[in-house]
Amino acid sequence: MNKALKIVVVAGLIVSVAAIMLLKQRGKGTDAVQGLSTPAVAAAPTTSGLPRLVDLGADKCVPCKMMAPILEELKEQYKGRLDVAFLDVWKNPNVSKQYGIQVIPTQIFYDAAGKERFRHEGFFSKDDILAKWKELGVDLSSDAPQTPAFEQLAPAKPDERPKESICYLCDGDIKSKTLVTIQTDKGPVRLCSPHCYSIMYSCLTEDKTGFEKKVTVTDWATGRPVTLSEAAFLYGEDEATGKPWIKAFGGRDAAVAERTAGGGSVLALDALQRKEFSNRCGFCDRACYPQDAAEVIVEGGVHTWGCCSHCALGVAARTGKNIEVREKDRLTKQQIVVRTLDGKVASLEPSTAVAWFGQRQKPDGTWASAGCFHQGFFTSADNLKKWVEQNPYETGRLISISQALADKMKLSPEQIQKACKIGECAPK
Ligand SMILES: [Zn+2]
Ligand SMILES: [Zn+2]
């Protein structure tokens, strides 16, 4: 009866299906894999009269560790309606036999009467767990604290800024010293800065030959327009944040004179563009500054950026890999960390974090994304609401970060291929 359990890793950690470990039973002299058909020993699962979720795992197995924050959340969120228990099978070797499991983690679902209704092997996301309870007819939702509903479908105050003072790309105010203008068939398109121009240029789908000739920048010294290809640039970085700044000049001499006063490096257009295009969004390929972007670490350790929080989640869809997103609350700059597993949110820090899905109503009445400048994560719904109050032109809705990820995961490969490459950012 005193059979020691030996644990053998059979699956690579976190492959497409969650990593799974097989519990192997050591027989007398020979190793024999415990048959999958071995009936589970009926464990007395509940004394509370509540439905009960038992997760069997170990504190050092990767998918088990990813279950831990989910169990904590369920415990907290469904207090009084669901019992949640974690049992460590490595520390308590009898447990795996008692529950008849072969794999960790395994989750066992018991109804309020103590009857086992379902068991699942491997990582199981919070959404999937909740969906399974629903499918089993166990209602946990009654007066459950849902993601608080919040939306702002019309701007809190009308945007009365003259159209020519609004950046075509970011909707920010255009300052006369950094204005960039692009001539199009339908008239001039105005951007707030050389950086907004770089962003737009990086996602143009049309033939870019000779495009620079249609573009003028503003001479920082005189305020006069200068053809982009003839401009010289002074490029510097903010001392505290390292975020680049760019001043354009009609000629190199003027740039050198300003450098004497304010520092920076004088760059020709080619050199400036190499800097501007060196960091790109891992989802939509836009040029971005790390200081404005969400950091994304793809499974295996590859670092990239999301030009916005939603694009950052999109890297999971684009690469088909698990990712970690480190983004800042748009109001408080506090850090938010999202880890994904198999296209689902595996952990969220803080667990109260939510997403703002900036949307605009199209003339036909349907709602479309308002673009990358209008998306964001917040550590709480309250922070999000405060930010919306401070940004009265924003329209959109609060969604869960799981929903934001699901919106990206459901994109077809063709849609991902075209992400922000559909020409919608081109000047028109
Ligand atoms: Zn702009
Ligand atoms: Zn992007």
Side-chain angles (χ1 to χ4, degrees):
M1 298 313 276
N2 248 343
K3 289 167 186 165
L5 286 167
K6 183 183 171 192
I7 289 133
V8 180
V9 177
V10 286
L13 290 180
I14 319 183
V15 281
S16 63
V17 181
I20 283 173
M21 295 178 175
L22 191 67
L23 295 168
K24 210 174 172 188
Q25 211 171 26
R26 177 170 286 174
K28 284 169 191 154
T30 56
D31 283 350
V33 176
Q34 187 175 321
L36 285 169
S37 57
T38 305
V41 177
T46 184
T47 50
S48 60
L50 294 175
R52 182 169 164 90
L53 178 69
V54 178
D55 179 69
L56 298 114
D59 59 5
K60 286 187 183 64
C61 114
V62 172
C64 306
K65 280 198 278 193
M66 300 187 90
M67 291 302 301
I70 294 175
L71 299 175
E72 278 311 306
E73 274 182 56
L74 290 170
K75 211 182 259 182
E76 189 55 37
Q77 202 172 342
Y78 296 97
K79 202 180 274 175
R81 276 167 288 152
L82 176 69
D83 261 357
V84 181
F86 170 73
L87 298 173
D88 191 317
V89 303
W90 291 356
K91 290 180 183 155
N92 307 286
N94 289 333
V95 160
S96 45
K97 187 164 187 292
Q98 185 192 351
Y99 285 83
I101 63 158
Q102 281 86 37
V103 158
I104 56 171
T106 290
Q107 302 82 32
I108 310 179
F109 292 63
Y110 297 97
D111 63 20
K115 182 167 181 268
E116 179 178 332
R117 300 289 305 279
F118 179 71
R119 58 173 63 195
H120 174 269
E121 295 177 338
F123 174 81
F124 213 25
S125 75
K126 186 178 168 188
D127 285 353
D128 287 337
I129 290 171
L130 293 175
K132 179 52 74 178
W133 280 120
K134 204 170 173 186
E135 186 191 312
L136 296 171
V138 176
D139 181 18
L140 300 172
S141 67
S142 50
D143 56 57
Q146 306 282 337
T147 304
F150 177 75
E151 57 189 22
Q152 175 148 296
L153 300 183
K157 74 175 197 201
D159 190 347
E160 279 160 352
R161 295 174 295 169
K163 194 167 175 264
E164 58 279 11
S165 76
I166 304 171
C167 176
Y168 174 80
L169 197 73
C170 74
D171 298 307
D173 293 334
I174 293 176
K175 295 190 183 79
S176 57
K177 280 172 94 91
T178 53
L179 165 71
V180 178
T181 308
I182 305 160
Q183 295 304 329
T184 73
D185 301 344
K186 290 175 193 154
V189 163
R190 295 157 67 89
L191 302 169
C192 69
S193 61
H195 182 52
C196 260
Y197 170 73
S198 299
I199 297 171
M200 192 220 65
Y201 187 83
S202 67
C203 49
L204 280 185
T205 48
E206 63 199 69
D207 179 8
K208 299 181 191 181
T209 317
F211 192 86
E212 282 91 347
K213 294 203 181 71
K214 296 190 276 187
V215 182
T216 53
V217 294
T218 305
D219 186 319
W220 182 267
T222 66
R224 289 205 198 96
V226 181
T227 306
L228 179 67
S229 50
E230 287 161 14
F233 298 90
L234 191 60
Y235 175 95
E237 284 162 355
D238 180 84
E239 216 174 297
T241 63
K243 185 168 160 171
W245 50 260
I246 301 166
K247 298 172 182 176
F249 294 90
R252 196 173 179 282
D253 291 350
V256 170
E258 174 70 18
R259 180 179 66 189
T260 309
S265 308
V266 176
L267 300 178
L269 180 61
D270 269 7
L272 177 74
Q273 288 188 331
R274 269 195 296 279
K275 281 194 178 291
E276 283 286 283
F277 300 148
S278 59
N279 291 303
R280 312 288 285 239
C281 173
F283 179 66
C284 77
D285 201 37
R286 272 184 184 205
C288 60
Y289 289 157
Q291 292 80 7
D292 299 330
E295 191 179 355
V296 182
I297 303 157
V298 183
E299 178 188 352
V302 176
H303 286 236
T304 182
W305 303 104
C307 72
C308 70
S309 45
H310 294 227
C311 269
L313 295 175
V315 175
R318 168 148 249 161
T319 61
K321 296 198 167 164
N322 303 318
I323 59 167
E324 177 175 317
V325 173
R326 298 175 187 168
E327 173 65 308
K328 293 171 287 295
D329 180 301
R330 284 194 77 171
L331 184 79
T332 62
K333 309 297 174 213
Q334 287 163 288
Q335 181 156 274
I336 295 156
V337 182
V338 186
R339 290 187 194 89
T340 75
L341 190 67
D342 297 337
K344 300 264 171 62
V345 173
S347 74
L348 182 59
E349 298 161 27
S351 62
T352 50
V354 292
W356 172 251
F357 182 22
Q359 290 177 297
R360 291 223 180 100
Q361 198 165 24
K362 295 196 287 187
D364 67 3
T366 58
W367 288 84
S369 166
C372 290
F373 289 97
H374 302 278
Q375 315 302 334
F377 285 174
F378 296 86
T379 54
S380 68
D382 281 346
N383 278 4
L384 181 151
K385 287 176 198 170
K386 274 182 214 150
W387 177 83
V388 171
E389 257 169 48
Q390 292 173 12
N391 292 274
Y393 308 144
E394 295 291 337
T395 50
R397 56 196 91 223
L398 179 159
I399 62 173
S400 68
I401 289 176
S402 289
Q403 183 61 51
L405 177 62
D407 287 347
K408 291 294 187 219
M409 296 309 298
K410 73 183 180 207
L411 296 176
S412 69
E414 292 73 26
Q415 286 172 313
I416 291 171
Q417 204 65 40
K418 286 199 297 187
C420 286
K421 293 278 185 191
I422 47 178
E424 66 181 4
C425 295
K428 29 181 188 265

